[in-house]
Amino acid sequence: MNRDFQPCPRDRQRGLSLVELMIALVLGLVLSAGVFQVFTNSSQTYQLSDSLSNMQENLRFAVGRLQYETRMAGYRGCLIGRPFNNLDTADAEYDASLYGGQPVAGWEADGSDLEDEYTNDDFDSTNTNLTQATAGAALPPDLTGSVLPGSDVLVVNNASIANVTLTGNPGANANTIVTDGNSGIPAGKIILAVTSDCSGGDIFQKTNAATSASLTKGSGQDPGNQTPVNNGFNATYDNQATIYEFTSTAFFIGTGVSGDPSLFMRRLDAGDPFGDVELVEGVENMQVLYGVTNPGGETVVNYVSADTVADWADVASVRVSLLLRSDDGVQDSGREEGEAPVGRVYNLLGTQITTQADDRARMVGNLTVGIRNRLE
């Protein structure tokens, strides 16, 4: 059987030419660059969204904590009116801002008052330039070396009920309220006692040990009680009286464990076992204004800074503004290549805060809180 032999045509293509290969490589590179750009943009968007989400969560917690504490400022149980102050107001350790019976107090950072412009870039030193209008009201010693420059300090005063049971009252000793067993309240603690009918109360400093079965108003502590201390209490307390532990809590901006600025709290009253407590990381500035009323009134007529509050008893509300920042630089996508980052300006209750020149995302949170126990 014969078969015709048919050779392959010489012009049939058997591969790619060099030009075609180069075109394919270029098209592949263009597609790869597009995919890479989409991935990069998506990654930056995710990082920014994640940072904003974290800041929002931190802001919610910070605002919620400050809102609760400030709203409950000045809490004195069912007491009608102000308690009698047994503390020694002439003692060098006495601070009317903390023990004078007013719900809140504060200190204004130097250079960050209303309409001031402040560059918030010093996180390596601490602030000693904080002022208050009340004469002689220096920053509490417990806060020395903790507060960062440019941020205000807010102090909230109230009382929390003590876990004690009274027995054998009223006794013969007018300086002592008898408890059923050890009181557990350390010496030096400021105590608020309220009568069973809520008509009277006394603030005094407990001077006997926590193992004592009584609350004694004696001497030997700072600021101490008025002399002579054996004059007794201003009111008479039976076994249905209520005992509160006076608390004074400061909120301020300090350096956190990570090295970033953070919102802190610290108890200023005696017996605090914790010291500075970091609440929220990444809060780099706090500005506070105080709503003051006409003397004896309940309607706020103006908001002022701490260095212009003439009488803390006239403060009926508080405004707080917080500036938060992200952990890392997540906003560099908007700059040209080689262009340096610049500081941004934020308005915190009338204070113009210029940030560090970085690519961190930032967020401002504001709250206004009426002091419930001041308005009732």
Side-chain angles (χ1 to χ4, degrees), residues 12-57:
R12 179 176 293 181
Q13 183 174 343
R14 293 188 176 184
L16 296 175
S17 68
L18 180 60
V19 173
E20 291 172 323
L21 180 61
M22 292 179 64
I23 292 174
L25 289 174
V26 170
L27 291 175
L29 288 175
V30 170
L31 291 175
S32 298
V35 172
F36 179 78
Q37 184 65 35
V38 170
F39 174 79
T40 301
N41 292 339
S42 298
S43 177
Q44 290 175 342
T45 301
Y46 171 79
Q47 291 178 0
L48 179 59
S49 299
D50 187 57
S51 295
L52 292 175
S53 177
N54 289 335
M55 284 192 294
Q56 288 175 340
E57 187 68 24

Side-chain angles (χ1 to χ4, degrees), residues 38-300:
V38 170
F39 174 79
T40 301
N41 292 339
S42 298
S43 177
Q44 290 175 342
T45 301
Y46 171 79
Q47 291 178 0
L48 179 59
S49 299
D50 187 57
S51 295
L52 292 175
S53 177
N54 289 335
M55 284 192 294
Q56 288 175 340
E57 187 68 24
N58 288 341
L59 181 60
R60 279 194 294 267
F61 178 82
V63 167
R65 183 60 181 267
L66 288 170
Q67 190 174 48
Y68 173 79
E69 295 284 351
T70 306
R71 182 179 291 122
M72 294 302 295
Y75 175 70
R76 296 189 291 267
C78 66
L79 178 63
I80 301 171
R82 288 193 177 188
F84 180 80
N85 190 358
N86 293 272
L87 300 175
D88 184 5
T89 58
D91 188 274
E93 297 296 325
Y94 181 84
D95 188 341
S97 300
L98 307 182
Y99 307 129
Q102 63 278 348
V104 297
W107 282 262
E108 177 68 24
D110 184 50
S112 67
D113 211 332
L114 282 168
E115 300 183 1
D116 280 350
E117 297 179 0
Y118 183 84
T119 301
N120 199 46
D121 58 359
D122 185 2
F123 302 114
D124 297 323
S125 61
T126 56
N127 194 0
T128 58
N129 297 318
L130 292 116
T131 56
Q132 187 185 101
T134 305
L139 188 70
D142 288 342
L143 298 180
T144 301
S146 296
V147 183
L148 288 176
S151 291
D152 298 342
V153 174
L154 171 65
V155 174
V156 177
N157 303 318
N158 55 27
S160 59
I161 192 167
N163 185 25
V164 297
T165 302
L166 305 185
T167 183
N169 297 286
N173 189 344
N175 290 320
T176 295
I177 301 174
V178 183
T179 61
D180 184 12
N182 298 346
S183 70
I185 300 176
K189 192 72 174 179
I190 306 299
I191 298 295
L192 168 64
V194 179
T195 60
S196 56
D197 63 357
C198 306
S199 62
D202 283 89
I203 285 182
F204 65 97
Q205 189 166 33
K206 181 179 181 291
T207 55
N208 57 339
T211 55
S212 301
S214 63
L215 310 173
T216 298
K217 177 175 73 73
S219 58
Q221 296 287 336
D222 290 319
N225 298 294
Q226 296 178 27
T227 303
V229 295
N230 58 1
N231 279 351
F233 294 114
N234 189 59
T236 301
Y237 301 97
D238 56 24
N239 294 337
Q240 281 68 52
T242 308
I243 303 300
Y244 298 88
E245 297 183 52
F246 181 85
T247 61
S248 184
T249 307
F251 295 92
F252 61 93
I253 305 302
T255 303
V257 295
S258 66
D260 287 337
S262 301
L263 177 65
F264 278 80
M265 64 171 284
R266 183 185 178 99
R267 289 276 296 275
L268 302 177
D269 48 285
D272 171 37
F274 302 110
D276 295 347
V277 178
E278 185 175 0
L279 294 178
V280 181
E281 185 182 25
V283 184
E284 68 175 51
N285 197 278
M286 178 174 72
Q287 297 297 314
V288 185
L289 295 178
Y290 303 89
V292 295
T293 67
N294 291 323
E298 294 185 352
T299 302
V300 173

Side-chain angles (χ1 to χ4, degrees), residues 326-349:
S326 62
D327 294 336
D328 303 306
V330 293
Q331 290 190 320
D332 58 345
S333 59
R335 291 189 289 106
E336 298 292 336
E337 184 177 355
E339 183 182 358
V342 296
R344 294 178 172 86
V345 180
Y346 295 86
N347 187 331
L348 273 64
L349 301 181

